Amino acid sequence: MAEDQMPSTDIVTLTRHILAQQIRLGPAATGDLTLLLNAIQVTSKFIATNVRKARLINLVGLAGETNVQGEEQKKLDVLSNDIMVNALRASGKTAVLVSEELDEAIIIEKRLRGKYCVVFDPLDGSSNIDAGVNIGTIFGIYKLKEGSEGTINDVLQPGKDMVAAGYTMYGSSANLVLTTGQGVNGYTLDNALGEFILTHPDVRNLFDIKIPQRGKIYSFNEGNSMYFHEPVIKYLESIKYPKNGKAPYSARYIGSMVADVHRTLLYGGIFGYPNDKKSKNGKLRMLYEAFPMAMLTEQAGGVATTGTQRILDIVPTEIHQRCPVFLGSKDDVEDLQSFFKDGQQ
């Protein structure tokens, strides 16, 4: 019988990891992004704590208001938004904030203004809160345009201009997944230490998350299939009723984008929320849902598209603009794109 191995004492925390990346950049690094990411991880810990005890402190249920999307706000939605706004403002590193829960962008007052803009959904999947399903925070970070002091135009940039993106998923554990444009790293919150610890080892690059080239899972809300356009219907038929004796794909749909994308990044396959006959522009918001998830997917080796266009190339014109989203394993998403190309011929 093999002897029990002692647990590693050389743990890599999120703070240690991003500081190491800063050191590698040398004099070019100012440390501002490091401090901003540290503020985001603090908000994630705070929100995670409140999610765990929501039922005990009466944070489930409706807050009695609707957000800019016309969705009824949950109490945790409102609290999570306040936590994010206050922490990001206090960091002194932000100039513009855009939240799903607020109609207008927040322009940070001059004495606290920094050189970054943060777009975020403070609590994605909040309709699942009462059912105890995994939910999460999604964020993306832009740098101010040259010479700007912070206006709405600084966030109306294509997703490819983001300098960092990520999400924190709250469930059986709190997982923070982050990219700064150099691959994707995953961290898990150790509640005893109060620290996010670098996890998710990969054989190619010890701590990188790499999405498989092809998966076996598709994640679409097929309750809307009567509204889907023909390319999406044909694609779904091709993976549910494959030819040449291939096995059909398995369906997995949670209804929380963070949870569905997290599974897709780890196991491969395809996540899709298309535009359709009912929602002509799709349902997912471009700035703080589609862009961050697309950046993470591409950095993990996958593909993110609207079906006809790379998501990160789109130039937004409104802060709450929507777009169709398909992302996941390279081969799976390219298969879907072929049906859109056939439909254009």
Side-chain angles (χ1 to χ4, degrees):
M1 183 175 176
E3 293 183 10
D4 291 339
Q5 289 187 339
M6 293 291 290
S8 173
T9 55
D10 185 21
I11 56 174
V12 181
T13 66
L14 172 56
T15 303
R16 172 180 164 182
H17 196 218
I18 58 180
L19 281 171
Q21 290 180 328
Q22 178 186 325
I23 292 169
R24 279 198 297 272
L25 289 173
T30 63
D32 285 355
L33 182 59
T34 299
L35 291 171
L36 178 54
L37 291 172
N38 190 61
I40 289 173
Q41 75 158 318
V42 171
T43 67
S44 295
K45 295 173 189 177
F46 195 176
I47 295 171
T49 298
N50 284 287
V51 168
R52 282 199 306 273
K53 60 185 181 182
R55 178 68 66 179
L56 298 173
I57 58 176
N58 197 31
L59 281 176
V60 295
L62 299 175
E65 300 174 359
T66 58
N67 63 17
V68 67
Q69 320 299 334
E71 301 162 340
E72 291 184 311
Q73 288 180 307
K74 304 280 187 174
K75 295 174 185 177
L76 262 176
D77 275 328
V78 177
L79 177 65
S80 300
N81 183 70
D82 290 346
I83 290 170
M84 290 285 290
V85 170
N86 290 333
L88 293 172
R89 175 187 278 124
S91 73
K93 302 304 175 186
T94 60
V96 183
L97 306 178
V98 172
S99 169
E100 184 200 25
E101 302 300 329
L102 301 173
D103 294 9
E104 305 293 335
I106 296 175
I107 308 299
I108 302 298
E109 56 269 35
K110 199 163 186 177
R111 66 184 181 86
L112 292 175
R113 192 173 300 163
K115 61 182 182 182
Y116 290 100
C117 308
V118 184
V119 294
F120 57 93
D121 182 346
L123 206 61
D124 173 72
S126 58
S127 61
N128 291 311
I129 290 172
D130 296 356
V133 174
N134 284 12
I135 53 182
T137 300
I138 309 172
F139 61 89
I141 302 173
Y142 288 104
K143 204 168 185 179
L144 287 181
K145 293 180 178 179
E146 190 71 32
S148 175
E149 291 190 2
T151 71
I152 195 171
N153 289 326
D154 289 301
V155 295
L156 296 179
Q157 303 183 58
K160 64 186 178 184
D161 290 342
M162 280 186 170
V163 297
Y167 62 81
T168 305
M169 183 177 69
Y170 314 110
S172 57
S173 59
N175 300 98
L176 193 154
V177 177
L178 173 69
T179 180
T180 55
Q182 302 171 46
V184 180
N185 295 298
Y187 309 83
T188 302
L189 181 61
D190 184 320
N191 292 310
L193 294 177
E195 293 283 355
F196 280 101
I197 308 300
L198 186 61
T199 50
H200 300 93
D202 178 89
V203 291
R204 195 190 73 83
N205 192 338
L206 185 56
F207 291 110
D208 262 6
I209 291 175
K210 282 291 173 187
I211 190 168
Q213 184 85 1
R214 180 179 290 279
K216 300 177 181 178
I217 297 170
Y218 73 97
S219 184
F220 286 68
N221 182 2
E222 290 191 273
N224 290 329
S225 57
M226 69 177 287
Y227 305 113
F228 287 171
H229 295 302
E230 190 174 0
V232 178
I233 292 171
K234 285 186 174 180
Y235 171 71
L236 291 175
E237 286 178 355
S238 76
I239 58 176
K240 291 193 292 184
Y241 307 100
K243 298 176 182 178
N244 304 323
K246 293 181 180 178
Y249 278 42
S250 297
R252 299 285 186 273
Y253 184 73
I254 298 168
S256 166
M257 188 186 190
V258 167
D260 282 315
V261 171
H262 187 72
R263 183 196 56 248
T264 303
L265 285 176
L266 295 181
Y267 302 153
I270 184 169
F271 167 84
Y273 210 117
N275 59 335
D276 55 33
K277 297 166 189 173
K278 185 175 66 171
S279 304
K280 293 184 179 179
N281 296 316
K283 290 288 292 273
L284 297 177
R285 271 68 59 155
M286 191 181 297
L287 271 184
Y288 41 81
E289 290 178 328
F291 281 173
M293 292 308 201
M295 183 178 181
L296 285 163
T297 301
E298 288 196 3
Q299 285 293 316
V303 175
T305 178
T306 64
T308 59
Q309 182 182 9
R310 180 189 180 216
I311 288 174
L312 293 180
D313 285 339
I314 303 172
V315 181
T317 56
E318 303 172 8
I319 61 173
H320 297 297
Q321 189 172 336
R322 301 172 190 259
C323 72
V325 174
F326 304 97
L327 56 82
S329 296
K330 184 175 184 290
D331 289 352
D332 290 314
V333 179
E334 288 179 350
D335 285 350
L336 173 119
Q337 287 176 303
S338 69
F339 285 89
F340 278 91
K341 290 174 184 175
D342 291 344
Q344 292 174 343
Q345 293 174 355

